[in-house]
Amino acid sequence: MKANAAEIGRVVMVTRGHDAGSICAVLQVLDDKTVLVVDGKNRTLQKPKRKNILHLRAYPITIKVAGKGGSGGDMADSDIRKQLKTVWDAYLTETQGANSAATQQKEDCHQ
């Protein structure tokens, strides 16, 4: 299943431009080709970055980017940073575990 980069809250990696390699979340879908992304640090809620979805790699995880934040007030950049770090670390742990299990299974088959 391929993740859709044009979905609010979708976690994406920027693949082109100045921000290449950075992990962000989609804040707003502008049209079928363009979204606004935030990371809570360089790309804040007050100044999101406009990106072509062809320049993004979408991952099968989403975060909350609107509504109430962790402190009970409006969503803040610190909430975005915290959520991105939490879900990205969990995703990496999960995928590395799956990759190592697949590698082990492959090695067992060749013995």
Side-chain angles (χ1 to χ4, degrees):
M1 180 181 89
K2 195 168 188 177
N4 180 12
E7 179 184 355
I8 294 174
R10 175 68 59 195
V11 175
V12 296
M13 179 182 289
V14 179
T15 59
R16 303 270 174 99
H18 179 74
D19 297 325
S22 64
I23 303 300
C24 299
V26 175
L27 178 65
Q28 183 180 352
V29 177
L30 299 178
D31 57 40
D32 61 339
K33 295 182 181 180
T34 314
V35 296
L36 294 178
V37 297
V38 295
D39 66 4
K41 184 178 179 183
N42 298 322
R43 304 301 178 185
T44 63
L45 290 166
Q46 292 74 33
K47 193 170 181 178
K49 177 68 176 170
R50 182 179 173 189
K51 295 298 286 183
N52 182 322
I53 62 170
L54 296 176
H55 299 169
L56 301 172
R57 178 181 301 138
Y59 289 91
I61 44 181
T62 58
I63 65 169
K64 184 178 169 187
V65 294
K68 299 290 183 189
S71 61
D74 290 337
M75 186 66 65
D77 291 317
S78 60
D79 297 319
I80 299 290
R81 283 192 309 270
K82 190 179 298 181
Q83 288 183 83
L84 279 173
K85 179 169 177 25
T86 301
V87 299
W88 186 248
D89 289 346
Y91 177 76
L92 290 178
T93 301
E94 177 183 313
T95 56
Q96 287 173 348
N99 288 340
S100 65
T103 302
Q104 182 63 40
Q105 185 178 21
K106 192 176 188 180
E107 289 173 0
D108 291 344
C109 290
H110 292 299
Q111 289 181 354

